Amino acid sequence: MPLQSYDIAASFFNVVLDIFFREISPRGSHKIPKEGPVIFVAAPHANQFVDPLILMRNCQRRVSFLIAEKSMHRRYIGRMARAVHAIPVTRPQDLAKPGIGRIQLLNRKTDPTRITGIETAFTQQLTIGSQIALPMDYGSSEVKEIISDTELIIKKEFKVPNALDMLTDPEGTSYKCIPHIDQSQVYRIVFDTLKAGHCIGIFPEGGSHDRTEILPLKAGVTIMALGAIAMNPDLNVKIVPCGLNYFHAHHFRSRAVIEFGTPISITPDLVEKFKEGGSSKREACSKLLEIIYNCLKAVTVNTPDYETLMFIQAGRRLYKPAHRRLPISQIVELNRRFVAGYEHFKDDSRVQEMRKRVMEYNRLLKYHGLKDHQVNKLSMGGTRAAGLLFYRVMLLATWGILGLPGFILNLPLVIIARKISAKKAKEAVRGSSVKVAGRDVLATWKLLVALVVTPTLYGFYTFIVVLISFKNKWILKWKVFAPISTFCTLVTGSYVTIRLYESGIDIYKSIRPLFLSLLPWAKSSIKNLRTVREQLSTDITSLINELAPQIYHDFDAERIAQAVERTAIPTSSKSLIQSPIDWLDDRVFNWERQGETSEFDDAIYFLEKNNGSTSGRSRTSSWASGSSSRPRSRAPSGEHHRVEALRCLSRTAPFSELKIKSKDSEEDSGYHGDKEDENSLKN
């Protein structure tokens, strides 16, 4: 394929991502080697075909992704994959077939590798090197020896309790037969690609999922890296871990963060062990896989379950928030550091009691239909709240009227995309043992449906307009400009509708707390809610200040300070050429700052006391020593002290301090976002 095909496809996908996502924030992209062979390993694989598009957009290199062979046979996906030089891989699980009969384990202790069949046909369905897999993904094992149609020896015994329960059941259990696939051709293509100095992209979990933690990694990536160097000793292959973090991943106009970790260098001793083969080769692959897994955990947020994730996020917000916006990249970093602290102290009775109280507070918020950041807004009340409520209702009504035509015209697209994506999600859950609700396929199918339905729908509307024009003889005046102008008007109108929609949603979410603050009969419950939050915030802060020094010896509670007040950008400093939509966005931003805080006003700043003076940078400063090429934030920037973004903190010291500087720096893309709330995850 010509190189230009990749660039054309990448540019097209960038437009698609810009429409679907409100913003995609990269972190650590300066760590990516500018030249030489690179293997990008990304996790968690939470958004199916959208994940590689986001990686392509931000990695600054041309990447050939490994893709399942069966996906290459899909009409549209296959064409797009070939355009970006994807490498097809035949996955054994895609060729799995139901096994005849049932299997069981008769001697669990004395002979754990001997599998007995009930009305099975092992000699017909299996060969040496193929695998038998248990239901619900409870495990699989390679076939070492086939004794008869009803008896075989497996290479490794099953150790998972659920797997043993299935196998020791008197009636046995169903199973699947997975054939052995020779992947030598795939490895040869990968080795050649790396030898040429190009990049490979792989999702080592094997398939997409919607769980809250990284799944066990497949060893294929280690064979690719070690094998390439073993064949070409002078090759310097780097492995770059990529963490994908989504905020309402499957929602239209949501947000995402992609974080690149420090490149992993492969040591010569691992390569030598790999060359030896046998147990040494397995040891080398296992050690490298462990390094990759740990590096991926360092750039992702991993919790054992959804409830723990909700507790971590609530605790982060309650721990003395400064009520200032943070970029979503910093929110991801704070989540990760709070997870690390929780994992260390989760068995402490005080932490368990705090978790119980925080979850009760979350349920109280859900009962009132509020978010945590809205609790402080309930104190406004009076004439100011009434005036602001009236103003926002009128503004929302005005925007609703302006956006109504575009909404009606695009309503068929919305309905079709939601219906098909929901159907595909159900199918994905039925066909997988690791998916929870199939949310990982929703965004992919929404995009695929939109790519097909949108031009079809707009073409239909254009045909109707041309037909009406011809009937009224307008076509004689407009000629060819009639269909062109109609299509362009539809595209422009849809874009305006999208921007009005996202700004209108922000205004709509701010109406409920204003309304509640005006209800006389709600004052007691509002006061109770604010009291509960204040006490909970004090208690969780006290608990963290007590426990943190036990694991972070340089922790100092006095370093916690509120963000320095930032002054608004003078009108004269703004561009004279500003679109109406950008003007509306700026207005919404300013309204949120006047007496209210953003939905994501979680800010924790750790400052160092230096001879009585305070110095630092704000989140608007550049995030590394170099400059950033990302777009500037709309957030106002101060002309005085700035507080440094937490993305610059050392990973080994989650509560390490920041230095203050008074120099102006290049702005970083600010963001307001948080992980999915409970309702969005269940929908």
Side-chain angles (χ1 to χ4, degrees):
M1 298 292 294
L3 290 177
Q4 291 80 357
S5 66
Y6 183 97
D7 299 325
I8 294 172
S11 299
F12 172 74
F13 293 142
N14 283 342
V15 174
V16 172
L17 291 175
D18 284 334
I19 294 174
F20 188 84
F21 290 97
R22 184 177 288 196
E23 185 167 336
I24 300 171
S25 177
R27 293 188 69 200
S29 55
H30 63 286
K31 301 176 183 178
I32 302 172
K34 300 300 181 183
E35 57 184 18
V38 175
I39 299 178
F40 291 96
V41 288
H45 197 3
N47 221 352
Q48 207 180 36
F49 298 117
V50 176
D51 289 340
L53 301 186
I54 291 181
L55 181 53
M56 284 174 55
R57 175 191 178 99
N58 296 281
C59 70
Q60 306 169 2
R61 300 282 300 271
R62 290 191 178 97
V63 184
S64 296
F65 287 94
L66 272 66
I67 184 174
E69 171 70 27
K70 68 174 186 178
S71 298
M72 297 292 288
H73 299 298
R74 298 181 181 180
R75 176 186 291 183
Y76 300 106
I77 293 176
R79 290 177 181 174
M80 291 185 288
R82 282 186 283 271
V84 295
H85 313 170
I87 301 172
V89 178
T90 302
R91 300 186 301 181
Q93 60 265 36
D94 293 336
L95 303 178
K97 295 182 179 180
I100 299 173
R102 302 175 73 82
I103 58 174
Q104 60 181 178
L105 180 62
L106 298 179
N107 301 310
R108 176 177 175 178
K109 295 183 178 180
T110 60
D111 200 358
T113 60
R114 187 178 298 272
I115 301 296
T116 303
I118 304 174
E119 298 181 358
T120 53
F122 292 154
T123 57
Q124 300 176 28
Q125 286 196 296
L126 298 169
T127 59
I128 304 299
S130 57
Q131 299 181 57
I132 56 172
L134 300 181
M136 305 299 295
D137 200 31
Y138 283 144
S140 61
S141 185
E142 184 180 334
V143 176
K144 183 178 180 181
E145 180 184 356
I146 300 176
I147 300 175
S148 66
D149 275 339
T150 58
E151 190 174 3
L152 59 79
I153 304 296
I154 56 177
K155 195 170 184 178
K156 294 177 64 176
E157 62 182 281
F158 291 96
K159 296 182 179 181
V160 178
N162 290 331
L164 293 174
D165 291 341
M166 286 183 173
L167 290 169
T168 55
D169 188 286
E171 296 182 358
T173 180
S174 58
Y175 66 101
K176 287 185 178 181
C177 300
I178 303 178
H180 172 70
I181 302 296
D182 182 11
Q183 301 287 12
S184 58
Q185 179 64 24
V186 175
Y187 289 126
R188 186 158 46 249
I189 296 174
V190 170
F191 296 158
D192 292 342
T193 302
L194 294 174
K195 183 180 179 181
H198 301 316
C199 303
I200 295 293
I202 185 172
F203 295 88
E205 293 171 290
S208 63
H209 63 91
D210 53 350
R211 294 183 176 271
T212 58
E213 76 280 1
I214 296 178
L215 299 182
L217 307 184
K218 310 295 183 183
V221 62
T222 63
I223 298 175
M224 294 173 187
L226 293 171
I229 298 178
M231 292 183 63
N232 305 277
D234 296 331
L235 203 61
N236 184 20
V237 177
K238 298 290 186 180
I239 301 175
V240 177
C242 312
L244 295 163
N245 301 276
Y246 291 97
F247 297 68
H248 308 277
H250 54 283
H251 285 185
F252 182 62
R253 302 303 289 174
S254 56
R255 303 172 173 93
V257 174
I258 178 170
E259 181 171 355
F260 299 96
T262 302
I264 302 170
S265 297
I266 301 173
T267 57
D269 61 307
L270 288 179
V271 179
E272 291 302 320
K273 286 185 177 181
F274 182 84
K275 290 179 179 179
E276 293 175 8
S279 59
S280 297
K281 178 179 179 179
R282 289 192 294 271
E283 181 184 351
C285 291
S286 178
K287 186 174 182 179
L288 181 57
L289 193 65
E290 182 180 359
I291 294 173
I292 294 173
Y293 180 75
N294 291 333
C295 290
L296 283 173
K297 287 188 69 176
V299 292
T300 55
V301 177
N302 294 275
T303 58
D305 51 60
Y306 174 74
E307 188 175 273
T308 300
L309 179 62
M310 293 296 99
F311 167 64
I312 293 298
Q313 292 173 350
R316 169 180 52 77
R317 290 188 294 265
L318 291 166
Y319 183 55
K320 291 297 183 186
H323 301 296
R324 294 294 184 272
R325 287 186 182 86
L326 280 184
I328 52 173
S329 55
Q330 293 182 14
I331 292 175
V332 169
E333 180 66 17
L334 282 175
N335 280 335
R336 185 158 47 239
R337 296 176 182 189
F338 271 76
V339 168
Y342 171 75
E343 288 297 325
H344 190 275
F345 293 107
K346 63 182 178 182
D347 295 326
D348 190 300
S349 59
R350 294 169 295 176
V351 174
Q352 294 175 355
E353 176 63 23
M354 185 59 65
R355 171 170 173 157
K356 180 180 179 181
R357 291 176 59 191
V358 169
M359 298 312 294
E360 289 176 352
Y361 171 68
N362 279 347
R363 286 190 287 271
L364 192 61
L365 288 175
K366 184 178 180 181
Y367 172 79
H368 286 88
L370 297 170
K371 302 291 185 182
D372 176 71
H373 73 277
Q374 296 176 325
V375 174
N376 289 328
K377 302 175 187 177
L378 299 174
S379 61
M380 186 179 297
T383 306
R384 183 164 178 259
L388 190 58
L389 176 63
F390 175 77
Y391 180 69
R392 293 192 175 185
V393 169
M394 295 303 296
L395 182 68
L396 188 62
T398 302
W399 287 3
I401 294 173
L402 292 175
L404 185 60
F407 174 77
I408 294 175
L409 291 175
N410 288 281
L411 187 59
L413 170 62
V414 175
I415 295 175
I416 295 173
R418 294 191 64 177
K419 290 289 185 182
I420 294 180
S421 60
K423 178 182 177 182
K424 293 297 181 180
K426 293 179 180 179
E427 293 177 357
V429 172
R430 287 196 297 267
S432 172
S433 57
V434 298
K435 298 182 191 297
V436 177
R439 290 182 293 269
D440 54 303
V441 305
L442 289 175
T444 293
W445 279 101
K446 287 178 180 178
L447 288 177
L448 289 175
V449 170
L451 290 176
V452 175
V453 175
T454 301
T456 304
L457 189 63
Y458 288 5
F460 173 73
Y461 291 151
T462 301
F463 173 76
I464 295 297
V465 171
V466 171
L467 190 63
I468 295 175
S469 300
F470 182 81
K471 184 177 181 180
N472 292 278
K473 298 183 179 180
W474 299 337
I475 196 68
L476 299 177
K477 295 181 179 180
W478 294 357
K479 297 182 180 180
V480 73
F481 294 106
I484 295 177
S485 60
T486 300
F487 194 87
C488 292
T489 301
L490 288 170
V491 172
T492 304
S494 297
Y495 173 75
V496 173
T497 301
I498 290 173
R499 299 301 297 271
L500 288 173
Y501 164 79
E502 66 182 32
S503 298
I505 288 296
D506 292 337
I507 294 296
Y508 173 76
K509 289 178 180 179
S510 70
I511 288 178
R512 180 173 177 81
L514 291 173
F515 179 74
L516 288 177
S517 66
L518 296 174
L519 299 178
W521 56 85
K523 289 185 177 180
S524 60
S525 60
I526 289 174
K527 183 178 180 180
N528 176 67
L529 184 61
R530 294 182 61 206
T531 302
V532 169
R533 190 197 188 283
E534 183 177 353
Q535 184 61 47
L536 195 57
S537 177
T538 301
D539 292 345
I540 199 170
T541 300
S542 176
L543 181 60
I544 291 177
N545 291 343
E546 178 183 350
L547 296 178
Q550 299 180 29
I551 53 176
Y552 306 120
H553 301 296
D554 62 341
F555 178 83
D556 182 0
E558 294 184 5
R559 282 180 293 173
I560 302 171
Q562 289 191 347
V564 180
E565 291 291 343
R566 292 167 293 183
T567 58
I569 299 176
T571 305
S572 59
S573 67
K574 293 188 178 181
S575 173
L576 297 177
I577 304 177
Q578 186 179 31
S579 69
I581 296 300
D582 290 335
W583 178 84
L584 292 175
D585 283 347
D586 289 338
R587 294 294 296 168
V588 172
F589 178 81
N590 290 329
W591 290 323
E592 289 181 348
R593 295 187 71 245
Q594 296 172 5
E596 298 190 39
T597 54
S598 170
E599 181 178 355
F600 310 106
D601 45 356
D602 321 89
I604 303 178
Y605 296 95
F606 300 89
L607 307 179
E608 181 184 18
K609 295 181 295 182
N610 185 11
N611 298 325
S613 63
T614 309
S615 56
R617 286 190 316 196
S618 77
R619 67 179 180 86
T620 57
S621 62
S622 61
W623 53 277
S625 58
S627 60
S628 173
S629 60
R630 286 174 297 204
R632 292 177 178 263
S633 167
R634 293 193 305 264
S637 58
E639 297 181 359
H640 304 290
H641 297 304
R642 299 169 182 262
V643 183
E644 185 169 12
L646 292 177
R647 66 178 69 190
C648 301
L649 294 181
S650 168
R651 298 190 183 285
T652 58
F655 294 102
S656 56
E657 54 217 62
L658 302 176
K659 303 276 187 179
I660 290 197
K661 301 177 183 178
S662 60
K663 294 181 180 180
D664 289 340
S665 304
E666 182 178 352
E667 291 184 344
D668 192 13
S669 52
Y671 229 59
H672 346 305
D674 208 340
K675 277 284 186 182
E676 296 174 307
D677 53 54
E678 185 173 359
N679 291 331
S680 66
L681 279 174
K682 291 182 178 180
N683 290 336

